[in-house]
């Protein structure tokens, strides 16, 4: 079963496109060397997995590159780019080679230089540079395998690489010290015809290694950890030191729920950190199922089959939907998804913010109570309607956390730290008073020009 995720969730979490921050999760990891590696990285991130073994294999491959910096694959970007261009350029293809013919062609090109000969000569030369680098890395993997350090995924590919390099055509190419005219024609025929399928396999593998190395570089750069993904039956979601990678000097939080308590209800005033926390949680769950490292100190979670978030939903002017109606349709969409797949992580930020307080209270109470009865999925819901949380507090299946607010010199201060329980903080009027909004409106009266009554005598 493919990992279930929709465009709204990818948008909420800024996986590829950007919403407000001007960044994307893909951008964070895109430290690849070449375009092919970038495309491979995109595909890795675009397709989270639900197969535990495949998740583990990718994670271990990336971890290997992070821990073996000195023995990584050295990618000559210029040589690789030219080699790829050369392989696609069929207009300069050579299908026959003889020493006499090659010598004549070289002389003719010296007298009258042609682009096609230049493409072949430099393409063959670039390919040999790339092959030698890959072969050296392949031998390093053999040594790592002997020391039991080589991940399964890399070993599988490396076995095929060694088979290819054992072929006489590749052995002779690896032994070349310089390229003669005849060699150029011979290896052009090999690279683009007789061994073209093996060449494409090796190029694709270089792209894959480049993507792994990019992910490993990001793990170092942003201090990411490698999650432990457990079987579905483990029914747990635990994070220590969770943070959002877009936030500079982010405050980290710990979270743990599962078992009989599979719904997390978060309260706190506006700007306390609820939305950022929910995005960080969603991003981490997404990355874990793509086999990527996550923004946390540690993470353990049971395998889920999909992720659905509602964080940045807006009204749909084209369809004539109000914000509230769009929220209702989103809840309906989630309900339909749960019918088909009851192993999801569902995240709602400020449920029913688009309607009046009474309807928001009633709606939140009804929907959260219904979600709490579904024990096979995880739910994380935030609200600033404290009364709804208090009415739900008797439900043993719901865990309550809130964002802490401290008073410093008579003023509330955001700590962005989660604590147990339900928030009782109400800062709306404090912010209105702090910004002198009412006073500014009243000042309009003192600056408004007085109307003059002009009497006219007829």
């Amino acid at each position: 079963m493919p990992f279930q995720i929709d465009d709204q969730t990818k948008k909420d979490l800024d996986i590829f496109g950007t919403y407000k921050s001007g960044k994307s999760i893909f951008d964070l990891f895109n430290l690849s060397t070449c375009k092919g590696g970038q495309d491979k990285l995109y595909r890795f991130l675009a397709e989270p997995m639900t197969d535990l073994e495949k998740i583990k294999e990718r994670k271990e491959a990336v971890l290997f590159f992070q821990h073996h910096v000195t023995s990584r694959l050295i990618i000559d970007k210029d040589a690789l780019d030219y080699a790829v261009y050369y392989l696609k350029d069929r207009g300069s293809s050579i299908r026959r080679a003889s020493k006499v013919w090659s010598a004549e062609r070289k002389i003719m090109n010296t007298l009258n230089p042609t682009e096609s000969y230049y493409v072949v000569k430099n393409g063959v030369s670039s390919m040999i540079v790339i092959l030698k680098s890959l072969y050296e890395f392949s031998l390093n993997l053999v040594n790592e395998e002997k020391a039991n350090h080589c991940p399964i995924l890399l070993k599988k590919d490396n076995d095929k690489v060694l088979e290819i390099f054992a072929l006489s055509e590749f052995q002779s190419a690896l032994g070349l010290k310089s390229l003669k005219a005849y060699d150029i024609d011979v290896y052009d025929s090999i690279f683009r015809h007789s061994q073209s399928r093996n060449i494409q396999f090796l190029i694709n593998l270089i792209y894959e290694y480049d993507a792994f190395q990019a992910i490993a570089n990001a793990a170092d750069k942003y201090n990411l950890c490698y999650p432990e993904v457990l079987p579905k039956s483990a029914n747990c979601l635990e994070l220590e030191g969770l943070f959002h990678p877009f936030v500079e000097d982010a405050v980290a939080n710990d979270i743990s729920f599962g078992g009989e308590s599979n719904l997390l209800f978060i309260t706190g005033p506006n700007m306390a950190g609820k939305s950022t926390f929910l995005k960080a949680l969603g991003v981490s769950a997404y990355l874990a199922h793509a086999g990527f490292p996550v923004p946390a100190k540690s993470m353990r979670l049971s395998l889920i089959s999909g992720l659905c978030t509602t964080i940045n939903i807006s009204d749909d002017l084209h369809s004539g939907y109000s914000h509230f109606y769009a929220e209702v349709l989103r809840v309906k969409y989630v309900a339909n998804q749960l019918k088909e797949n009851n192993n999801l992580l569902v995240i709602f930020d400020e449920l029913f913010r688009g309607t009046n307080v009474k309807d928001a209270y009633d709606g939140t109470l009804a929907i959260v109570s219904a979600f709490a009865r579904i024990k096979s999925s995880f739910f994380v819901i935030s609200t600033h309607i404290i009364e709804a949380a208090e009415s739900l507090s008797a439900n043993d299946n719901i865990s309550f956390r809130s964002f802490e607010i401290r008073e410093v010199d008579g003023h509330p201060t955001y700590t962005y730290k989660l604590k147990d329980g339900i928030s009782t903080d109400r800062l709306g009027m404090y912010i209105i008073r702090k910004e002198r909004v009412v006073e500014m409106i009243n000042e309009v009266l003192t600056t408004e020009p007085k109307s003059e009554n002009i009497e006219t005598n007829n």
Side-chain angles (χ1 to χ4, degrees), residues 55-341:
I55 292 172
K56 182 180 178 182
E57 285 180 0
R58 183 177 294 170
K59 180 182 75 172
E60 290 180 346
V62 174
L63 191 58
F64 172 85
F65 282 103
Q66 186 177 0
H67 289 173
H68 295 77
V69 177
T70 57
S71 58
R72 285 188 183 185
L73 173 64
I74 298 174
I75 300 174
D76 186 325
K77 183 181 183 302
D78 292 336
L80 181 59
D81 287 346
Y82 200 93
V84 171
Y85 169 77
Y86 149 76
L87 291 171
K88 293 178 179 179
D89 182 40
R90 296 299 177 181
S92 60
S93 180
I94 305 298
R95 284 185 176 273
R96 65 190 181 102
S98 71
K99 292 184 178 180
V100 173
W101 187 82
S102 298
E104 290 177 351
R105 197 164 77 96
K106 181 180 179 182
I107 293 171
M108 292 297 295
N109 188 74
T110 303
L111 296 174
N112 184 25
T114 63
E115 182 180 354
S116 62
Y117 187 80
Y118 178 86
V119 169
V120 174
K121 177 183 177 182
N122 287 279
V124 170
S125 177
S126 296
M127 271 305 312
I128 291 174
V129 169
I130 294 300
L131 292 176
K132 287 182 177 180
S133 179
L134 181 59
Y135 184 61
E136 181 180 351
F137 176 73
S138 181
L139 294 180
N140 286 336
L141 284 184
V142 173
N143 293 330
E144 295 295 341
E145 184 182 344
K146 291 177 180 178
N148 294 320
H149 294 158
C150 185
I152 293 175
L153 185 59
L154 299 187
K155 182 185 181 306
K156 289 178 183 176
D157 290 330
N158 203 47
D159 289 343
K160 174 67 174 176
V161 172
L162 292 174
E163 287 180 12
I164 293 173
F165 280 124
L167 298 174
S168 59
E169 297 96 320
F170 288 90
Q171 282 294 303
S172 60
L174 294 172
L176 281 176
K177 301 298 182 183
S178 62
L179 274 176
K180 297 181 175 61
Y182 177 64
D183 296 327
I184 293 172
D185 293 340
V186 168
Y187 288 105
D188 178 55
S189 179
I190 291 172
F191 294 156
R192 294 202 283 189
H193 297 289
S194 64
Q195 292 295 328
S196 61
R197 293 185 65 178
N198 281 333
I199 288 294
Q200 287 303 321
F201 170 82
L202 297 176
I203 293 292
N204 187 67
L205 189 58
I206 290 171
Y207 292 158
E208 188 165 301
Y209 290 162
D210 187 31
F212 289 152
Q213 292 182 170
I215 301 169
N217 289 337
D220 272 332
K221 183 176 181 180
Y222 302 110
N223 198 26
L224 310 179
C225 79
Y226 292 85
E228 182 183 2
V229 184
L230 305 169
K232 176 185 174 182
S233 58
N235 193 29
C236 75
L237 179 53
E238 302 170 0
L239 287 124
E240 180 184 359
L242 172 66
F243 64 94
H244 199 293
F246 292 171
V247 179
E248 188 175 353
D249 299 322
V251 175
N253 277 290
D254 302 340
I255 194 71
S256 175
F257 71 107
E260 292 302 315
S261 177
N262 66 312
L263 193 150
L264 181 64
F265 203 68
I266 301 175
T267 54
N270 290 327
M271 302 188 298
K274 299 191 298 295
S275 298
T276 301
F277 171 79
L278 295 179
K279 287 185 177 184
L281 178 59
V283 165
S284 296
Y286 184 100
L287 291 175
H289 285 77
F292 281 46
V294 303
K297 185 177 179 181
S298 66
M299 181 178 190
R300 295 176 71 249
L301 77 161
S302 51
L303 188 74
I304 58 174
S305 302
L307 173 63
C308 187
T309 69
T310 305
I311 298 175
N312 294 320
I313 198 168
S314 59
D315 50 6
D316 189 338
L317 297 178
H318 178 73
S319 301
Y321 296 155
S322 67
H323 189 283
F324 173 67
Y325 195 68
E327 289 181 300
V328 173
L329 291 180
R330 186 62 176 170
V331 175
K332 182 179 179 181
Y333 170 81
V334 171
N336 284 327
Q337 297 306 304
L338 286 167
K339 283 183 180 180
E340 300 175 6
N341 180 0

Side-chain angles (χ1 to χ4, degrees), residues 26 29-30 37-45 211 214-215 292:
F26 174 74
F29 286 96
N30 188 20
Q38 177 179 311
D39 293 341
K40 185 71 70 172
L41 178 68
Y42 187 97
R43 286 194 290 273
F44 285 167
L45 192 57
I215 301 169
F292 281 46

